[in-house]
Structures are given as structure tokens and as C-alpha cells.
Amino acid sequence: MEKIQWQNNLSVGVPLIDAQHKQWIAHYNDIVESIASRQNKTQIAKTLGFLIDYTGIHFATEEKHMAGSRYPAFQEHKSKHDGLRATLGNLVKEFEEEGATEQLSEAIDTFLGHWLIRHIQEVDTKFGEYVKGKGIVLA
Ligand SMILES: [Fe+2]
Ligand SMILES: [Fe+2]
């Protein structure tokens, strides 16, 4: 598992969303750190909990603004979020049953880390372009 470094190619051009993505990455990196330094189960559970809570907040923010700006691809985008919400639920279950196994680390890396980068670059970016094109300022 590797930490994710924020880079400009992750910017969707909307300050509110970029700020939340940076925050999300910070929570993700906390998990990488706590697994790598072999923290105890309670501490790992806590960092995982923070990431899950923040994911909920972030998705809700995007969905609120997609609905509010009548974004045509809202449902499609939301269904991608729903997919990750389900994945997170499974990861937590797996963690509670098995602890921070090698498989769990790999799953976090694949399903969260890679998912996030791809989602930002392929899905969130399109919403960013829509927002900019319409001259909407998200606050
Ligand atoms: Fe999104
Ligand atoms: Fe996002």
C-alpha cells in the first residue's frame, strides 16, 4: 500500500471539491500509515472510521451540488458513489472479522486508492467541467 500524493492533475478545477479530495487523501494516507506501522486493531478501526465518515460527507456534498445544478449525469455519477459505499461496508465487515490482513491492505489499495484516483480523473472531472462551463460557484 502506498500513500497518495496530491498532484495538480487531480484537480477538477473547483476549489470546494479539490479541498475535499485533499482531505480524503489525507484520511486515506492515515490508514496506509496505521496499517504499515502495525497499529492495533482499535486504532486502525478508528482511522478506517474517519475515512468512511469523510467519504459520506464528500459524496453528499457532490450529490447535493449535482442535484442543485441539474447536472445531467447525476444519477450515473451517484451510482458510482453507491458502488463505493457498498465496497466500504464490505471492507469494514472483513476488517472486523479478520483484522488488518494482507488481503485487507490489498483491498484498501485497490478498491479505495485506485478507485479514488480513477473516479476523480474520469468522473468528478466531468462534473467540474460542467460547473465551470455554467459559471457556477460551489460553496
Ligand atoms: Fe464523485
Ligand atoms: Fe469526489
Side-chain angles (χ1 to χ4, degrees):
M1 280 176 91
E2 288 195 14
K3 288 190 180 180
I4 298 172
Q5 220 68 268
W6 171 265
Q7 283 167 354
N8 283 336
N9 67 4
L10 289 177
S11 173
V12 302
V14 178
L16 173 75
I17 295 180
D18 284 349
Q20 289 198 347
H21 287 156
K22 285 176 187 171
Q23 195 65 39
W24 199 98
I25 288 170
H27 285 303
Y28 178 82
N29 288 341
D30 285 345
I31 293 204
V32 175
E33 181 76 45
S34 62
I35 292 178
S37 61
R38 303 189 177 280
Q39 289 186 345
N40 66 45
K41 204 174 165 181
T42 317
Q43 285 165 311
I44 295 173
K46 217 165 130 184
T47 52
L48 199 53
F50 284 142
L51 180 75
I52 289 167
D53 289 348
Y54 196 75
T55 302
I57 292 168
H58 173 59
F59 284 178
T61 302
E62 284 188 356
E63 288 163 11
K64 180 184 91 182
H65 287 298
M66 285 192 278
S69 65
R70 300 180 184 280
Y71 180 51
F74 171 46
Q75 282 310 326
E76 199 186 321
H77 191 144
K78 185 179 177 294
S79 74
K80 301 250 160 67
H81 288 173
D82 290 339
L84 191 81
R85 286 181 179 108
T87 302
L88 280 173
N90 292 336
L91 285 179
V92 172
K93 234 177 93 195
E94 196 187 322
F95 174 73
E96 281 164 356
E97 285 163 9
E98 318 273 345
T101 60
E102 202 61 39
Q103 275 143 298
L104 181 80
S105 307
E106 262 172 49
I108 290 175
D109 186 58
T110 308
F111 295 121
L112 292 185
H114 290 90
W115 185 95
L116 175 85
I117 299 301
R118 226 184 41 231
H119 182 81
I120 290 176
Q121 292 181 325
E122 294 173 9
V123 181
D124 290 344
T125 299
K126 286 184 190 149
F127 178 53
E129 282 163 7
Y130 174 80
V131 164
K132 281 188 291 177
K134 293 263 175 193
I136 300 166
V137 177
L138 303 189

